[in-house]
Amino acid sequence: MIVAEAVGRVLAACGAGTVFGVVGSGNFHVTNALVAAGVPFVAARHEGGAATMADAYARMSGRVGIVSVHQGPGLTNAMTGITEAAKSRTPLIVLAGEATEPQSNFHIDQSALAVAVGAVAMRITGAGDVMEQVVRAYRVAVEDRRTVVLNLPLDVQSTPCPDLDPTTLTTRTTHLLTAAPLPTGSSTAPSGVSATAPTGPSARTPAGASTEASAEDGLLELARALEAARRPVFIAGRGARGARRELEELAERTGALLATSAVAKGLFRGSPWDLDVSGGFATPLTAELIRAADLVVGWGCALNMWTTRHGSLISPGTRVAKVDLDPAALKTHVPADVGVVGDAAQVARSLTARVRAGAPGYRSPELARRIEAEGRWRAVPYEDESGGGRIDPRTLTIALDDLLPQDRIVSIDSGNFMGYPSMFLDVPDENGFCFTQAFQSIGLGLATAIGAAVARPDRLPVAALGDGGALMGLAELETVVRLGLPMVIVVYDDEAYGAEVHHFGPHGHPLDTVRFPPADLAAIARGHGLAAVTVTGPDDLAGVAEWAEGERDRPLLVHAKVTRERGSWWLEEAFKGH
């Protein structure tokens, strides 16, 4: 056995789920070792797609995502997806071959590259303690919620090491995984592993608030704030996914309304007090009610500029509280008046036991009726602007919402169009929406949908893309077909980079660099083996209905030529912050 094979076998023993990658000479043996150990492998057509697939897989499965790439260009190709994962604190391990000889064409400073985008850089240094090194990288990903680039030097990979029999492998790996917590700062200086990472507190080490006394003080202060509030609103983020029951119990006790950030959309679906998404995507009613709140509590939610409309949803005099595992999040974006470092579900349970039930808070029968009548974007009246060979994106998306099965998982690319599928396509719960937007890159949507589909094969995968992002990620259409995914890919085609058109156009700037001639995306899709329909008006959606009611034996691409005279409402909100 060589070190590369040992890395794969140990990672499999840690519980690695699916691995995504593009295989070259530098990651050939480690990838094959993972596959031999029973870990499924998905071959992407581009490393950027592989990294994004793994990110989405981790978000939607709850397991660590694994990416396998070649040294040098394999890693650089993956960097946009890795950056998105690092910014989102996705538990992810990137297995990257590494050329350490400066004379090699493949040589770059891979550790510096990883650190530059917020990932943790680690390196396997030899055969003697390869198991300890791999397990430590795995634990940093899980316990610190970090994206780890695990460099595998080519000369180290080929070093012989003792065989690991299955019993010993399982026993030792389990022991290492369940050993004492990693020391403070483990993601910056793990013993036995060469590592570099950005400075700052670990998610597991609440700097300045880790003592029992300070935690108790924070809980008492937040309990008092909840008891005093008359119009409380909870905004749950990604850190609160999985805490629905605990948050609803506390909200019932305090009379709070329930909203989410975009990444946690669907968390409170079905509750009569669900306001859906806060921020630029918020309905007029949701914006009105959050602005009128006297207490806003962010649960695993940093309350960034998108979630608060650049702070405008937090009115003067409104108190802000945050509950987060990361102490730094308490003072970023909208600083908290009250901060508690801790797990959202645990803190909510503790507060429910402490808070006295009192006034009904924000809840009333009249407000419940308003939320039912006005709480979703499709209930907001609009003038249908379809015509001239183009369909209004609102009309398109409402029709798709009705035509496609409700048990779905929706993945969104970035761009001017993105608010329409995000808000007009409903999802059954927080596991039905995958939103990779921390880096605001276009071109990630299709790969996101593939990773989400692999994580949740029980749901219909829906990818929503702009024409720019669709053409960037075009190579992964072959991956969708090869995997046999019954995916619906909706392309909102305005023949432009729409955000730039609507940002710069009103000021009279030339737009030739951001507008493009028509492309027959349906024909391109058919060439890859997909079914495809072109939609220029509501009548063209019959083809979607036929596919949805049929065997769905091929993925479907919906090439929608959408109206383009104006920017989306959420983009107008975003421009206010520029």
Side-chain angles (χ1 to χ4, degrees):
M1 178 183 292
I2 60 175
V3 166
E5 294 168 332
V7 170
R9 290 184 61 182
V10 174
L11 198 53
C14 287
T18 301
V19 57
F20 301 82
V22 176
V23 174
S25 60
N27 63 326
F28 182 84
H29 293 298
V30 68
T31 306
N32 280 347
L34 282 161
V35 172
V39 178
F41 174 67
V42 173
R45 286 301 188 176
H46 190 277
E47 290 91 351
T52 301
M53 291 174 200
D55 180 11
Y57 173 85
R59 294 172 191 243
M60 307 315 292
S61 69
R63 305 180 71 176
V64 175
I66 309 293
V67 187
S68 179
V69 297
H70 185 65
Q71 63 269 21
L75 181 61
T76 58
N77 279 348
M79 286 313 297
T80 299
I82 292 170
T83 305
E84 170 64 37
K87 283 180 172 288
S88 298
R89 296 197 74 128
T90 298
L92 190 74
I93 295 177
V94 183
L95 300 171
E98 184 181 30
T100 54
E101 289 295 327
Q103 296 82 6
S104 170
N105 287 351
F106 293 128
H107 175 70
I108 56 173
D109 190 341
Q110 296 190 173
S111 292
L113 188 64
V115 171
V117 301
V120 177
M122 294 185 171
R123 178 177 290 111
I124 299 298
T125 57
D129 53 359
V130 63
M131 180 178 292
E132 289 78 5
Q133 294 178 349
V134 173
V135 172
R136 186 176 290 273
Y138 189 88
R139 291 186 63 184
V140 167
V142 173
E143 296 175 22
D144 284 357
R145 295 183 297 116
R146 299 297 297 271
T147 293
V148 176
V149 174
L150 185 58
N151 289 304
L152 309 176
L154 300 183
D155 56 342
V156 175
Q157 284 195 54
S158 61
T159 303
C161 67
D163 284 346
L164 300 169
D165 69 83
T167 301
T168 302
L169 177 61
T170 300
T171 302
R172 288 186 61 195
T173 302
T174 301
H175 172 73
L176 291 168
L177 285 171
T178 57
L182 295 174
T184 298
S186 60
S187 63
T188 58
S191 174
V193 182
S194 172
T196 316
T199 58
S202 162
R204 292 179 295 100
T205 55
S210 60
T211 67
E212 186 175 338
S214 61
E216 180 68 17
D217 290 345
L219 284 169
L220 288 173
E221 188 175 2
L222 182 49
R224 287 193 291 265
L226 288 166
E227 289 175 346
R230 292 296 174 263
R231 297 181 304 281
V233 173
F234 291 174
I235 303 179
R238 186 179 176 189
R241 294 179 73 220
R244 171 172 178 160
R245 179 175 59 81
E246 292 83 358
L247 290 176
E248 285 190 326
E249 287 178 356
L250 180 61
E252 178 71 24
R253 195 165 184 81
T254 59
L257 304 182
L258 300 164
T260 71
S261 67
V263 293
K265 176 181 169 67
L267 178 62
F268 301 116
R269 187 63 75 246
S271 167
W273 309 108
D274 177 22
L275 301 181
D276 207 14
V277 175
S278 172
F281 290 167
T283 63
L285 176 62
T286 295
E288 171 193 330
L289 294 174
I290 294 175
R291 284 194 175 106
D294 58 0
L295 174 67
V296 172
V297 186
W299 298 89
C301 177
L303 299 179
N304 64 24
M305 62 180 181
W306 304 113
T307 307
T308 65
R309 291 190 181 178
H310 300 276
S312 68
L313 291 185
I314 310 297
S315 296
T318 298
R319 296 196 75 193
V320 174
K322 290 184 182 180
V323 177
D324 206 289
L325 286 170
D326 184 0
L330 304 182
K331 293 301 179 183
T332 56
H333 305 295
V334 179
D337 300 303
V338 182
V340 179
V341 176
D343 173 76
Q346 293 176 0
V347 172
R349 279 195 300 268
S350 179
L351 287 168
T352 299
R354 295 164 184 260
V355 173
R356 297 188 303 270
Y362 220 155
R363 301 183 177 191
S364 70
E366 172 59 27
L367 186 54
R369 287 190 289 270
R370 283 197 70 194
I371 292 172
E372 182 178 13
E374 307 171 41
R376 296 291 179 271
W377 268 107
R378 64 179 295 164
V380 178
Y382 72 95
E383 183 178 347
D384 189 342
E385 297 176 352
S386 301
R390 294 192 171 271
I391 187 169
D392 190 307
R394 295 163 293 188
T395 302
L396 166 73
T397 316
I398 290 170
L400 291 172
D401 188 46
D402 292 337
L403 290 170
L404 298 176
Q406 290 298 306
D407 199 15
R408 62 183 68 143
I409 185 164
V410 179
S411 300
I412 310 292
D413 208 332
S414 190
N416 174 59
F417 76 95
M418 63 190 286
Y420 302 114
S422 294
M423 300 314 300
F424 288 89
L425 279 180
D426 205 4
V427 294
D429 52 37
E430 75 275 20
N431 296 312
F433 194 68
C434 195
F435 195 68
T436 47
Q437 296 292 333
F439 197 33
Q440 287 184 249
S441 173
I442 70 170
L444 305 186
L446 183 56
T448 296
I450 294 171
V454 173
R456 294 301 304 263
D458 56 318
R459 295 194 170 183
L460 174 73
V462 181
L465 322 173
D467 53 305
L471 288 163
M472 283 187 180
L474 204 60
E476 303 305 345
L477 286 178
E478 187 276 336
T479 306
V480 175
V481 174
R482 173 166 34 88
L483 296 180
L485 300 175
M487 184 181 293
V488 178
I489 302 166
V490 185
V491 182
Y492 292 73
D493 184 8
D494 61 0
E495 295 168 7
Y497 293 139
E500 283 64 38
V501 167
H502 297 295
H503 190 180
F504 296 106
H507 302 289
H509 296 291
L511 299 173
D512 291 345
T513 57
V514 291
R515 283 181 170 157
F516 301 92
D520 192 343
L521 297 173
I524 293 171
R526 294 187 190 104
H528 281 80
L530 289 84
V533 295
T534 298
V535 176
T536 60
D539 292 344
D540 296 328
L541 288 163
V544 178
E546 183 179 349
W547 181 90
E549 295 165 3
E551 296 181 0
R552 304 181 207 163
D553 55 347
R554 288 190 295 165
L556 173 70
L557 184 135
V558 180
H559 179 199
K561 294 178 178 282
V562 295
T563 54
R564 53 189 180 179
E565 285 71 26
R566 68 187 69 209
S568 58
W569 87 94
W570 78 267
L571 198 64
E572 293 174 357
E573 289 289 344
F575 289 162
K576 293 177 183 177
H578 282 265

